[in-house]
Amino acid sequence: MSGIVSRLTGSESPPPMESNPIMNHYEIGREVTTVGMCMLWHVHDAYRKSDGKEASVFVFDKKLAERLYKPKRREQLLERIRIGIDNLKRKPSITKTLAVMHGAEESNGSLIFATEPILASLANILAWHESNIPSGGPQPIRPFPMNFGTPTGYQPPPPPPPPPPLCSTEYHFLDIELRFGFLQIVEALNHLHYNLKQVHRNINPHAIIVTKRGAWKLFGFDFAEDIISLDPIEMLAIAPWSIKIPRTLQPSLDFLAPEVQISGQCNILSDMFSLGLVICAVFNNGVPLIQANNNPMLYLKQIEHLEYQVNALLPRIPAQLQEAVQRLLSVDPHPRPSTQLLPLIKYFKGQCEPPIRAMQLLDNMTEKDPAVKTAFYRTQLMEALPYIPKKLRWQLVWPSLQAETRTTEILASVLHPIFWLTNDATQDEFNRYVLPTLRALLTSSKSIHATAIYLENLHIILRKCQTKDSENEVLPILYMSLDSKIQQIQLASLTAAQNVTEFIDERTLCVTILPKVRIIFENNQTDHKVVFLVLAYFERLLPRLERTHLLEHIIPTLLTLKLGDPEIIHRVVKLYRIMLAEKKFALTANVMALKMIPTLAPQMVNTALTVDQFANLIELLHEIVDAIDKSQRFKLRTEAANPATDRYRSLRHQMSTDNVTAPPFNIPNLRVEQRKTSSAEDMARKNSASGPSTSNQTGSISGLKRLGQWIFGSNTSNSNNENSNFLRVANAFPNRRLSDNTLMTPKIRIAPSCASSPGGTPGGTAGLPTRRHSSIGPQERRGSTVNLSPPTAHQYRGRGGSGSSLSVPSTSHCAIAWSMAGGSVPNTSSSVPFLLASSMNSIKSRRQSGAAAGPQGSPQSSRGSQGILQQISSGMSHLLTGHT
């Protein structure tokens, strides 16, 4: 309406309208065009004061008739004008006629009535095309007889005087507009001929009005004649055109049917001839094929050559319309197609039929019931919109939709084409046409269905809104709808939340919308529609979320789902795969192992899954296990490489000896230095120094060595190999305890051969002395297994050096036997001092304590165990002395 007001301020209303009663109902603005016979009607823009509805006001100035005609003719003219207005007003059922919004109001100076807004008459538009013919384009066909082989001696009449200046209007027709316009006029005539039983008699460009919506409307019913006969083809007797009557009181001679002028008769096919001439004028750059200049004789002469003119014009007419035009312009009325046959030609069918049909029905929708309107707006119009040119969408379709938004009953169905047009609109079109209407809808009362449709298409509005103010006006409806308790609105709000994600900042998404979505989900967990929409919303939202929001909102919601429906499982699997793929989420092994796998694993045996769904589930589980594997391996390797972590610090302190100060100790059975000479060899070397010969000394030493080997069960080469083996073990395992290098602990047993044996106990070894090995703990003592019972003579026989045997006195009563539990114990030269040299100084005391020891009591047993090595040393001393 603001555009109308701005145009109205351009000029003041002319003086004849000041006293007209219509001024009380309409605000009249500037003049836009002139229409009607002889351009008698001046058309002004206007709007209705009661509701602000746009309109056009037709004004006839009575002073003009007073200047042109005498009182009698002036009254005839006024009467003819009143008849035309009454005929137009009495035909509200003819939707293709100009709609009258306010009947004629007459005053002393003017006659005024109001109609729907118009752009111009077809004559105004054709006048512009005639005056703007392209210089290089085809020239129009001129209706002069001399152009068509006139006979010799024929003198053409002088050219007609130039017509009065027309108010031309620039307007370019699309092909579909012409098809739609011609079809509208045909349908209007069909209703007039067969329903109202009338003949129009004045079809010409002045009688066709082009509205601001681009529709062609029939006008000029001043000369309509009623059909008396039941047969509409039957001729009616009428007066031919005469130069004796003012032309304002007669139909247009340039578009008159020949039977009217020749025989004074007409019927419904006479209107079809006039329509054919209008079609030719449209394709002839606005120039009519007949220009009689109000001269009946010239008219008849041009009618004779009309066929030649039509044939010359046919190449400019669409091929599918050429045959129909030729038949329409036949001089004989019978070949002309009627209004019932003409719409059936191919020109009005084919690909253009759906949009044309939809635009036709759109003009009739105002009179239909709500059920028909609902079906049309939701189906037929939606199917035709892609084929309707954008020019006609905003010029013809949008005004109808805008008017229907005021009707609550059909608002929901009207919103479908409204949002389709919104999505297809440019930014300028959106701001100019759509945004004002949508703003009005935000504050208006709507049905539940209409609110749901508005929410589902909310993203289309936000995509077009460029200002924050517009977003602030649109988004609150989403926030309020998420709190609604109505299920239909909840579903629509979830759809809207999913669609508008890209237009909302992260803070609003996570703080405002996401908690509301979770509440809807928690209250409707058994509703599969809600569950599907929530999962779809999560899928759209995931790329915008941070890890904290994922762990606080998304995963807890997914864990509460009842996985049973295959589609739900498929969507959950898809969400988990997105989480695994996004590095920013960094799902831990605990979350995957303790939360995700327990909910997914039971679904592997779900028989409702399809093969593809099962494959996706298995692939997801494999991906989760692989992720856990990588995470745990990396974690364990890191901890192994850095053992001094806080987690294991106390345990390591308890088990390690790094910080414990321990006294030095000898490593058993491990050679770490060069071999040293044993004490037995030293003794043999000293004794050999005082002996008679060197050979005896050598033999003694060799025998002593063999005796040592026999006692300890080993040889030198084996000892060296074992020592090297122990060194390799120590180098390969630096953290290995030193005591672990011993293979087995030797045991020494004293055989109970007699009760009088030193340290012996009758009946067993329970009282045998014990010794501690270096590989055992400080408090652990092991029983000795050395048998020191009195030996026989052959037990003392051994191998001596140089093949001689050694004899041992029988009074020593010593028998030495070594037994190894689990295998022989390797001995080195370092064992000899351990057994012999360490006991040489106390041999006498140990023999005395052993002889004095009784069979009972722990002191005696302890002293007996201490004399074991003393007895061994004593026996070897006797052996060496006897040999010497």
Side-chain angles (χ1 to χ4, degrees):
M1 192 176 68
S2 60
I4 301 173
V5 174
S6 62
R7 291 195 299 267
L8 295 179
T9 56
S11 63
E12 299 178 357
S13 58
M17 295 188 295
E18 291 179 355
S19 58
N20 195 291
I22 204 171
M23 298 294 294
N24 299 327
H25 304 282
Y26 287 86
E27 189 71 30
I28 300 176
R30 66 183 182 87
E31 181 179 344
V32 293
T33 186
T34 55
V35 298
M37 47 182 191
C38 301
M39 302 296 183
L40 295 179
W41 292 103
H42 298 263
V43 183
H44 296 255
D45 283 336
Y47 68 91
R48 191 159 52 191
K49 293 181 180 180
S50 60
D51 56 3
K53 189 174 182 178
E54 189 176 2
S56 291
V57 172
F58 288 67
V59 180
F60 173 70
D61 188 1
K62 290 183 177 181
K63 295 181 179 180
L64 177 63
E66 293 175 357
R67 291 195 300 268
L68 294 177
Y69 305 108
K70 294 179 179 180
K72 184 179 179 180
R73 294 293 188 186
R74 182 170 62 248
E75 190 59 33
Q76 290 178 349
L77 176 63
L78 292 176
E79 186 62 24
R80 180 65 65 179
I81 291 174
R82 296 188 187 101
I83 292 174
I85 297 174
D86 291 340
N87 285 337
L88 185 64
K89 188 178 179 180
R90 284 198 300 265
K91 296 175 175 58
S93 58
I94 305 180
T95 56
K96 304 306 176 185
T97 60
L98 191 63
V100 178
M101 298 175 59
H102 193 95
E105 295 284 355
E106 190 170 356
S107 63
N108 293 331
S110 62
L111 181 64
I112 305 175
F113 68 97
T115 67
E116 61 181 304
I118 72 167
L119 176 66
S121 69
L122 184 60
N124 301 135
I125 297 173
L126 294 180
W128 185 90
H129 285 277
E130 183 179 0
S131 60
N132 291 274
I133 299 174
S135 58
Q139 297 300 311
I141 305 299
R142 297 292 177 179
F144 295 119
M146 54 191 174
N147 295 336
F148 302 98
T150 55
T152 306
Y154 173 77
Q155 296 293 332
L166 297 179
C167 181
S168 63
T169 303
E170 181 179 1
Y171 190 87
H172 300 274
F173 290 110
L174 302 174
D175 178 68
I176 193 173
E177 278 188 281
L178 294 177
R179 296 172 190 257
F180 179 51
F182 294 148
L183 193 58
Q184 284 181 302
I185 300 303
V186 171
E187 289 187 347
L189 289 175
N190 180 72
H191 185 79
L192 182 67
H193 292 166
Y194 293 97
N195 295 336
L196 300 181
K197 304 295 184 180
Q198 285 186 335
V199 180
H200 190 278
R201 289 187 58 211
N202 194 27
I203 301 297
N204 64 81
H206 295 280
I208 298 175
I209 303 297
V210 180
T211 67
K212 289 186 176 180
R213 296 173 50 189
W216 291 18
K217 298 298 182 74
L218 194 58
F219 180 63
F221 291 89
D222 304 344
F223 305 99
E225 290 285 343
D226 295 331
I227 300 175
I228 301 174
S229 175
L230 297 177
D231 184 7
I233 305 300
E234 185 175 347
M235 291 292 182
L236 298 176
I238 57 172
W241 203 93
S242 174
I243 60 174
K244 297 179 180 180
I245 302 174
R247 59 178 183 172
T248 55
L249 300 178
Q250 300 181 88
S252 175
L253 181 60
D254 293 342
F255 294 88
L256 194 65
E259 62 270 14
V260 174
Q261 193 63 26
I262 294 174
S263 60
Q265 296 178 336
C266 75
N267 61 6
I268 59 174
L269 298 178
S270 301
D271 288 340
M272 302 307 293
F273 180 89
S274 302
L275 179 61
L277 289 175
V278 172
I279 293 174
C280 289
V282 170
F283 290 105
N284 195 32
N285 295 105
V287 179
L289 293 182
I290 297 177
Q291 294 182 358
N293 194 24
N294 300 320
N295 187 343
M297 298 301 296
L298 184 58
Y299 167 82
L300 294 176
K301 200 67 176 176
Q302 292 181 0
I303 285 292
E304 294 177 1
H305 300 280
L306 181 61
E307 183 178 357
Y308 297 100
Q309 292 175 302
V310 172
N311 292 334
L313 185 63
L314 282 180
R316 306 181 189 181
I317 299 175
Q320 297 173 336
L321 188 60
Q322 291 178 1
E323 182 181 358
V325 169
Q326 288 178 311
R327 296 180 60 186
L328 285 172
L329 295 180
S330 173
V331 177
D332 184 8
H334 294 90
R336 301 171 192 165
S338 65
T339 55
Q340 294 176 336
L341 296 178
L342 189 60
L344 302 179
I345 64 176
K346 293 181 179 180
Y347 181 70
F348 300 110
K349 300 295 181 181
Q351 186 178 2
C352 64
E353 183 178 7
I356 289 177
R357 183 62 181 166
M359 289 188 292
Q360 285 179 302
L361 293 175
L362 193 63
D363 271 349
N364 302 334
M365 277 301 109
T366 54
E367 302 173 359
K368 303 296 181 180
D369 58 88
V372 176
K373 290 182 179 181
T374 300
F376 170 74
Y377 288 126
R378 297 187 63 178
T379 56
Q380 193 167 357
L381 182 59
M382 290 296 294
E383 294 173 358
L385 274 176
Y387 303 99
I388 299 176
K390 181 170 288 191
K391 173 186 175 182
L392 295 181
R393 292 175 192 170
W394 301 112
Q395 190 173 340
L396 178 64
V397 178
W398 179 256
S400 299
L401 298 177
Q402 191 177 24
E404 296 288 6
T405 57
R406 302 183 183 95
T407 307
T408 307
E409 293 178 323
I410 62 172
L411 177 60
S413 58
V414 171
L415 286 176
H416 289 285
I418 283 179
F419 282 113
W420 192 96
L421 290 172
T422 303
N423 188 46
D424 189 69
T426 63
Q427 193 60 48
D428 181 66
E429 292 168 346
F430 174 78
N431 295 333
R432 181 180 179 184
Y433 298 107
V434 182
L435 189 56
T437 302
L438 294 180
R439 278 178 174 168
L441 286 176
L442 286 174
T443 57
S444 64
S445 60
K446 298 179 287 294
S447 63
I448 295 176
H449 190 196
T451 304
I453 295 175
Y454 197 99
L455 288 170
E456 291 171 356
N457 295 275
L458 202 62
H459 61 286
I460 298 177
I461 304 175
L462 291 176
R463 187 182 297 117
K464 298 294 182 180
C465 289
Q466 291 185 336
T467 61
K468 275 291 181 182
D469 296 337
S470 301
E471 294 181 5
N472 295 336
E473 294 175 3
V474 175
L475 286 177
I477 190 175
L478 173 61
Y479 304 149
M480 292 185 295
S481 301
L482 287 171
D483 296 329
S484 175
K485 303 300 181 182
I486 302 174
Q487 185 183 21
Q488 189 174 0
I489 294 181
Q490 286 181 344
L491 295 175
S493 63
L494 289 175
T495 303
Q498 176 184 349
N499 294 335
V500 303
T501 302
E502 58 181 303
F503 306 105
I504 304 178
D505 59 274
E506 283 77 2
R507 184 179 182 280
T508 305
L509 284 174
C510 300
V511 176
T512 304
I513 297 181
L514 188 56
K516 294 178 182 291
V517 171
R518 287 195 64 187
I519 292 174
I520 295 177
F521 171 78
E522 292 170 358
N523 297 333
N524 300 274
Q525 292 190 22
T526 58
D527 191 338
H528 282 192
K529 292 182 179 179
V530 173
V531 173
F532 290 153
L533 289 173
V534 170
L535 293 178
Y537 174 70
F538 286 168
E539 182 179 348
R540 182 69 66 88
L541 191 63
L542 276 180
R544 303 280 301 277
L545 294 180
E546 298 298 331
R547 186 173 185 273
T548 304
H549 302 132
L550 181 75
L551 298 178
E552 292 180 356
H553 297 285
I554 305 300
I555 292 182
T557 304
L558 296 180
L559 294 178
T560 60
L561 276 174
K562 296 180 179 179
L563 298 181
D565 186 270
E567 186 62 27
I568 294 178
I569 297 174
H570 174 69
R571 291 178 179 270
V572 172
V573 167
K574 192 174 182 181
L575 284 172
Y576 281 146
R577 298 190 79 168
I578 296 174
M579 295 178 194
L580 291 174
E582 288 287 344
K583 294 183 179 180
K584 65 178 180 179
F585 294 144
L587 295 179
T588 62
N590 290 338
V591 173
M592 293 185 285
L594 302 179
K595 295 183 179 181
M596 295 170 63
I597 290 181
T599 60
L600 294 174
Q603 302 307 319
M604 290 189 294
V605 294
N606 191 335
T607 56
L609 295 177
T610 62
V611 176
D612 293 338
Q613 291 171 346
F614 176 77
N616 293 334
L617 176 60
I618 293 298
E619 289 177 4
L620 172 63
L621 290 173
H622 283 309
E623 292 176 4
I624 293 176
V625 172
D626 291 342
I628 295 174
D629 178 42
K630 293 179 181 179
S631 176
Q632 287 298 102
R633 285 180 184 273
F634 177 78
K635 180 179 178 181
L636 295 175
R637 287 172 181 170
T638 304
E639 292 175 353
N642 303 286
T645 58
D646 294 339
R647 179 177 178 182
Y648 301 105
R649 185 174 301 279
S650 59
L651 183 60
R652 180 181 180 274
H653 177 74
Q654 295 172 4
M655 300 301 296
S656 176
T657 59
D658 293 349
N659 301 324
V660 178
T661 303
F665 61 94
N666 295 327
I667 303 175
N669 300 327
L670 183 63
R671 180 174 181 177
V672 296
E673 294 180 355
Q674 187 177 1
R675 180 178 178 275
K676 294 182 180 180
T677 307
S678 66
S679 59
E681 291 175 342
D682 293 338
M683 293 173 61
R685 191 178 295 111
K686 290 178 182 180
N687 293 333
S688 64
S690 60
S693 64
T694 305
S695 62
N696 292 336
Q697 294 177 359
T698 304
S700 300
I701 295 172
S702 300
L704 183 61
K705 289 182 179 180
R706 284 193 292 272
L707 177 60
Q709 293 173 1
W710 175 77
I711 292 174
F712 299 109
S714 180
N715 55 35
T716 305
S717 62
N718 292 336
S719 176
N720 292 336
N721 291 336
E722 290 168 357
N723 290 337
S724 63
N725 289 337
F726 281 116
L727 288 175
R728 284 195 295 271
V729 171
N731 292 332
F733 300 93
N735 296 328
R736 185 179 178 89
R737 294 184 302 176
L738 299 177
S739 60
D740 292 341
N741 295 332
T742 301
L743 299 180
M744 188 59 68
T745 305
K747 298 181 180 179
I748 305 174
R749 177 178 298 175
I750 301 175
S753 60
C754 62
S756 62
S757 298
T761 56
T765 61
L768 293 178
T770 60
R771 64 180 292 274
R772 182 177 64 86
H773 194 268
S774 62
S775 64
I776 63 178
Q779 305 301 327
E780 182 181 359
R781 305 189 70 86
R782 297 180 182 178
S784 176
T785 59
V786 178
N787 186 1
L788 298 178
S789 60
T792 60
H794 71 274
Q795 287 176 322
Y796 281 99
R797 243 177 235 112
R799 298 175 185 177
S802 305
S804 62
S805 62
L806 297 177
S807 61
V808 181
S810 60
T811 57
S812 64
H813 305 287
C814 293
I816 303 175
W818 289 83
S819 65
M820 309 303 296
S824 61
V825 178
N827 297 319
T828 63
S829 61
S830 62
S831 301
V832 177
F834 180 77
L835 293 175
L836 299 178
S838 62
S839 303
M840 292 298 292
N841 296 328
S842 59
I843 185 171
K844 293 181 180 181
S845 62
R846 291 183 180 275
R847 287 184 63 185
Q848 294 173 1
S849 64
Q856 303 294 333
S858 60
Q860 289 81 1
S861 299
S862 176
R863 287 192 297 270
S865 64
Q866 295 175 357
I868 294 174
L869 298 179
Q870 296 176 2
Q871 295 176 17
I872 296 173
S873 300
S874 176
M876 295 188 69
S877 298
H878 286 291
L879 176 63
L880 294 174
T881 304
H883 178 71
T884 303

